[in-house]
Amino acid sequence: MEIEKTTSDATMDVVPASNAVSFPGKPNFKPLKAHEISDGQVQFRKVPVPPHRYTPLKKAWMEIYTPIYEQMKIDIRMNLKARRVELKTRPDTPDISNLQKCADFVHAFMLGFDVCDGVALLRLDELYVESFEIKDVKTLRGEHLSRAIGRLSGKGGKTKFAIENSTKTRIVIADTKIHILGSFANIKVARDSLCSLILGSPAGKVYSKLRAVTARLAERF
């Protein structure tokens, strides 16, 4: 049985154009500047300078100062009394994250990385610095420790360069501390290779494993 529509139902179906609801346009807000995000407060970062990096910092100061001040729009100064590099935001700083990037860049230089390698931290978001000690992998003393450091570097730094080039990372071996700069996946590959060398694997075995892993990484990307 079909039910006929009443006149009242028919009028409900059609909404007259005069009663149509008009929605306001989408609001368009300008992006906040760095000093506005923090309620107008100036953000600071302080990076301590170890004694052995004081002279290299003096020599490379303009190379560090120029990209931070001119491109990232962050104020930087060297506090000679406290022996630390101090960074702060400016009213024209385009992004608040620039301050942390600059602090990471200066910290990477203090760890022993070259300025040209550290600048990558300013330009790319997915780069990190990871640090660990040889004793974290295996407890070694005396000559055993010296031999492990020698295995990591190789003759004339050959092993270190091979790991750096194949994994697209940069490695600093400072006594028993090891610092790796790179992306998350690449740091993992480099760290696994270094740990194998510390545990006593010969360089040839590490190279062949590296070839297989880097080929797999190249396929993935």
Side-chain angles (χ1 to χ4, degrees):
M1 248 179 94
E2 287 183 7
I3 302 167
E4 290 183 11
K5 280 188 178 179
T6 61
T7 52
S8 60
D9 290 340
T11 52
M12 282 173 69
D13 289 345
V14 181
V15 179
S18 59
N19 295 344
V21 181
S22 61
F23 293 101
K26 207 174 185 182
N28 187 16
F29 298 115
K30 288 182 180 178
L32 289 173
K33 291 184 179 175
H35 71 286
E36 291 172 337
I37 292 171
S38 54
D39 299 326
Q41 292 179 342
V42 176
Q43 297 276 324
F44 284 96
R45 290 289 184 280
K46 293 167 186 174
V47 183
V49 182
H52 68 285
R53 296 299 288 170
Y54 200 64
T55 307
L57 179 65
K58 263 186 186 174
K59 288 178 182 173
W61 178 251
M62 285 313 294
E63 293 172 57
I64 294 168
Y65 174 88
T66 308
I68 290 177
Y69 186 79
E70 292 180 3
Q71 291 162 26
M72 305 300 278
K73 303 278 190 282
I74 296 285
D75 280 341
I76 176 171
R77 72 171 186 183
M78 176 68 194
N79 188 331
L80 293 170
K81 201 173 182 182
R83 286 217 166 186
R84 64 187 177 206
V85 176
E86 296 175 349
L87 304 143
K88 76 179 179 78
T89 53
R90 299 184 345 214
D92 62 334
T93 304
D95 190 356
I96 195 76
S97 66
N98 284 8
L99 181 64
Q100 189 56 48
K101 282 182 185 176
C102 292
D104 291 340
F105 166 48
V106 175
H107 180 62
F109 180 79
M110 298 311 166
L111 291 177
F113 292 100
D114 290 336
V115 175
C116 53
D117 296 330
V119 164
L121 285 164
L122 300 179
R123 294 184 181 150
L124 302 168
D125 288 334
E126 62 276 357
L127 289 186
Y128 308 93
V129 175
E130 186 172 311
S131 303
F132 66 96
E133 289 193 52
I134 289 173
K135 68 179 181 187
D136 297 338
V137 182
K138 192 179 183 183
T139 308
L140 297 168
R141 292 186 188 88
E143 282 189 14
H144 296 289
L145 180 62
S146 306
R147 277 200 295 272
I149 294 167
R151 275 198 304 277
L152 291 173
S153 296
K155 189 180 179 183
K158 189 176 76 171
T159 309
K160 183 174 84 89
F161 293 141
I163 295 171
E164 282 181 341
N165 294 334
S166 58
T167 59
K168 296 187 180 71
T169 56
R170 286 291 172 268
I171 298 165
V172 168
I173 301 168
D175 195 21
T176 61
K177 287 190 178 71
I178 299 161
H179 311 291
I180 311 170
L181 165 68
S183 67
F184 184 79
N186 292 347
I187 284 175
K188 187 180 181 300
V189 176
R191 190 181 61 228
D192 289 346
S193 302
L194 292 168
C195 289
S196 300
L197 289 166
I198 291 166
L199 292 168
S201 292
K205 196 174 180 182
V206 172
Y207 290 157
S208 57
K209 197 176 176 184
L210 258 179
R211 269 189 222 105
V213 175
T214 47
R216 211 179 309 140
L217 273 175
E219 282 171 16
R220 193 181 302 169
F221 299 115

